[in-house]
Amino acid sequence: MVMDKLGNSLQDALKKIVKSGRIDERTVNEVVKDIQRALLQSDVNVKLVMQMSKHIKERALKEEVPSGMSPREHVIRIVYQELINIIGKSTDIPLKPQTIMMIGLQGSGKTTTTSKLARYFQRKGLKPGVVCADTFRPGAYQQLKTLCTKLNVAFYGEEGNPDAVGIVERGLKELEKNDILIVDTAGRHSLESDLITEMEEIHAVAKPDYKLLVLDGAIGQQASEQARAFNESIGISGVVISKLDGTAKGGGALSAVSETNSSIAFIGIGETPDDLERFEADRFISRLLGMGDIKSLIEKAEEALGEEDFDMESMLRGKFTLKDMYKQLESLNKMGPMKQIMQMLPLGGMGAKIPEDAYQVTGDKLGRYRVLMDSMTEEEMLNPRIIGSARIKRIARGSGCAPEDVRELLKYHKMMQTAMKGFRGGKFNMQKMMKKMGM
């Protein structure tokens, strides 16, 4: 998951609330200290952390617990709300025809992010076109052209021509029939005067609806300086935090942007073209705290599966026969990496963990599972608990697999079923909690 270490630390802190006999000042102080440690390790500004800590303590100890909510749920709700306040609002980018100008320093991941943004709109049913106006960096033209070709996205550029403004003018005219026009501009090692001049000239020609600044998540708190500088120089509509999956300073970058007059539009969560997410603070914090992100999961399912039958209700109820499991895993594989998908589910309370090997369901394994299940009776498929040693031997013989393969399938099914059932409650009912928090 993006910012795994921060998420795990925050979940561990909230587990103290879930397990505590009563919510008193000592418990609140312990939890706040753990949250402070987690945020500071993620490079969040000390001043912001101390302000948030003060708010949590005051609210947890002085606010009246709302009707129908336990003291534990109330404190967790406060932490959730205060974390959202630290990150701030998000930039709303509508799904309609528009022109977007991409800006940023060299090495921020701007060119790759440009192709990911084109893919994002493509997944939403819009037709994107990309103009390469980066005439400064050698290889920028070929890199962006290759990325767009792989995605079947319309591309315009003029290799070797240093006239970025002219390229933009001709490119926008060439691609005018596309819904979304994205202009990738040149970066520099710093915000130099010639870069500002070029961006202003491109801006005058492109007349973009949005200007998105791409920042590398690894810069942490420095994100505020860059965002403020770009905003003061040419004005920006929003920020894209790239490479958020590979840094421990992501919390610092996210919170730093909120200190400026900017907001976050998208976050880069991986290396594939589909690994760009629209940023929404409430969904992000919910996932970080182990509460899942059902809205994003449903959106991802609709994008990947279209009209296919994806039984989300059955999945969330934990009603998982072997037949159900194979069908759902087949669908989930189309939606992206299993780990990303499973972490959108609220699995049984704060800090609930799924073993790493539960994510390793490859196409080869699915193929072997299908062969094994073809050798099972309908009764066994619907009720795997009846499969004992004699049945395991028969299934292995009939499928041409080893008995260990049958046991692996049954073990995996049991592990997944337990994880899904965790959504429904237990000692700490996550589903109920999410409703009370308006999620």
Side-chain angles (χ1 to χ4, degrees):
M1 186 183 89
V2 172
M3 300 189 340
D4 258 332
K5 187 176 179 182
L6 175 59
N8 290 337
S9 298
L10 290 173
Q11 290 170 33
D12 287 342
L14 294 189
K15 267 199 261 185
K16 290 186 177 180
I17 299 173
V18 176
K19 294 178 179 179
S20 63
R22 58 194 291 263
I23 302 298
D24 53 19
E25 188 171 355
R26 181 182 172 185
T27 304
V28 172
N29 285 335
E30 281 183 15
V31 170
V32 167
K33 280 183 181 178
D34 288 346
I35 293 173
Q36 286 176 347
R37 191 178 302 112
L39 294 175
L40 291 172
Q41 286 175 348
S42 191
D43 200 38
V44 178
N45 182 279
V46 175
K47 185 179 176 182
L48 282 177
V49 173
M50 299 315 293
Q51 284 176 351
M52 192 197 80
S53 301
K54 183 182 176 183
H55 291 160
I56 291 175
K57 285 181 184 179
E58 287 178 352
R59 293 184 61 191
L61 298 173
K62 294 179 181 179
E63 268 188 19
E64 189 175 335
V65 179
S67 176
M69 185 176 283
S70 73
R72 293 185 187 86
E73 292 167 341
H74 178 51
V75 175
I76 290 170
R77 180 169 173 263
I78 289 170
V79 172
Y80 168 76
Q81 291 172 340
E82 292 299 333
L83 283 169
I84 289 175
N85 289 339
I86 264 197
I87 288 180
K89 62 184 186 298
S90 55
T91 310
D92 183 32
I93 306 292
L95 297 175
K96 66 178 185 180
Q98 59 193 287
T99 300
I100 298 173
M101 182 175 166
M102 306 295 285
I103 57 179
L105 297 184
Q106 199 166 318
S108 62
K110 180 170 49 60
T111 299
T112 304
T113 299
T114 297
S115 67
K116 287 182 177 181
L117 186 61
R119 174 60 183 149
Y120 168 81
F121 285 112
Q122 190 181 58
R123 292 199 319 263
K124 299 296 183 181
L126 294 166
K127 188 178 179 184
V130 172
V131 178
C132 178
D134 185 352
T135 59
F136 182 78
R137 180 172 67 87
Y141 171 90
Q142 282 297 338
Q143 181 189 2
L144 191 53
K145 183 180 180 181
T146 301
L147 290 168
C148 288
T149 301
K150 285 181 180 178
L151 297 171
N152 197 26
V153 167
F155 171 82
Y156 183 88
E158 298 175 13
E159 191 172 20
N161 185 352
D163 181 14
V165 177
I167 290 171
V168 172
E169 197 167 12
R170 291 183 288 276
L172 293 177
K173 191 172 182 180
E174 178 75 20
L175 301 174
E176 62 184 355
K177 291 184 179 178
N178 291 271
D179 301 316
I180 309 293
L181 300 175
I182 307 173
V183 179
D184 180 30
T185 64
R188 297 287 194 279
H189 294 297
S190 61
L191 192 57
E192 300 159 4
S193 58
D194 58 339
L195 173 61
I196 294 172
T197 300
E198 183 177 281
M199 286 191 295
E200 287 173 346
E201 291 174 351
I202 290 174
H203 183 271
V205 170
K207 296 180 175 62
D209 299 290
Y210 294 93
K211 286 172 285 184
L212 297 182
L213 171 65
V214 181
L215 297 175
D216 185 339
I219 66 174
Q221 292 183 44
Q222 293 176 33
S224 64
E225 296 173 24
Q226 284 193 26
R228 192 176 287 112
F230 271 91
N231 199 32
E232 290 172 357
S233 299
I234 62 162
I236 58 175
S237 312
V239 174
V240 181
I241 304 289
S242 67
K243 311 175 191 177
L244 204 54
D245 57 311
T247 177
K249 293 186 175 183
L254 290 169
S255 59
V257 172
S258 71
E259 288 185 90
T260 68
N261 291 324
S262 314
S263 56
I264 301 168
F266 295 92
I267 53 175
I269 58 169
E271 297 179 0
T272 74
D274 289 327
D275 287 335
L276 185 75
E277 275 189 8
R278 186 164 64 91
F279 182 77
E280 289 191 33
D282 56 347
R283 295 188 187 190
F284 184 81
I285 294 300
S286 175
R287 211 184 306 177
L288 206 60
L289 295 179
M291 297 175 178
D293 181 2
I294 300 302
K295 289 178 184 176
S296 292
L297 180 59
I298 291 171
E299 284 176 9
K300 210 170 182 70
E302 287 172 348
E303 284 176 14
L305 307 176
E307 299 300 317
E308 291 182 38
D309 180 23
F310 185 73
D311 191 359
M312 185 70 70
E313 288 299 317
S314 171
M315 186 174 170
L316 295 181
R317 285 197 305 269
K319 183 182 179 184
F320 238 46
T321 65
L322 277 167
K323 191 177 283 188
D324 291 330
M325 185 187 79
Y326 189 83
K327 183 180 175 184
Q328 305 296 19
L329 288 178
E330 224 171 18
S331 298
L332 287 170
N333 262 11
K334 294 177 185 177
M335 289 164 59
M338 180 66 74
K339 190 168 184 176
Q340 276 185 23
I341 301 305
M342 293 304 290
Q343 285 167 338
M344 290 183 185
L345 289 169
L347 300 173
M350 303 297 171
K353 301 289 190 298
I354 295 178
E356 282 296 317
D357 58 358
Y359 299 122
Q360 307 305 314
V361 183
T362 62
D364 289 343
K365 270 193 178 182
L366 283 176
R368 190 162 71 246
Y369 287 173
R370 186 193 288 275
V371 171
L372 286 166
M373 288 189 280
D374 283 343
S375 295
M376 293 180 184
T377 65
E378 185 71 12
E379 186 183 14
E380 289 166 345
M381 289 283 284
L382 295 174
N383 185 15
R385 286 180 294 183
I386 67 173
I387 301 176
S389 56
R391 289 178 186 257
I392 286 174
K393 288 178 183 176
R394 193 206 79 240
I395 294 166
R397 218 170 27 244
S399 62
C401 297
E404 289 73 27
D405 293 327
V406 184
R407 293 189 184 95
E408 179 192 305
L409 169 61
L410 295 174
K411 179 185 175 183
Y412 188 84
H413 169 261
K414 188 173 182 181
M415 186 162 52
M416 293 295 288
Q417 187 177 47
T418 301
M420 295 300 179
K421 281 181 179 177
F423 175 75
R424 294 188 296 177
K427 183 180 177 183
F428 186 79
N429 192 319
M430 182 58 66
Q431 194 173 23
K432 177 183 170 188
M433 178 68 193
M434 287 170 67
K435 284 181 180 177
K436 287 181 178 179
M437 292 171 71
M439 296 161 60

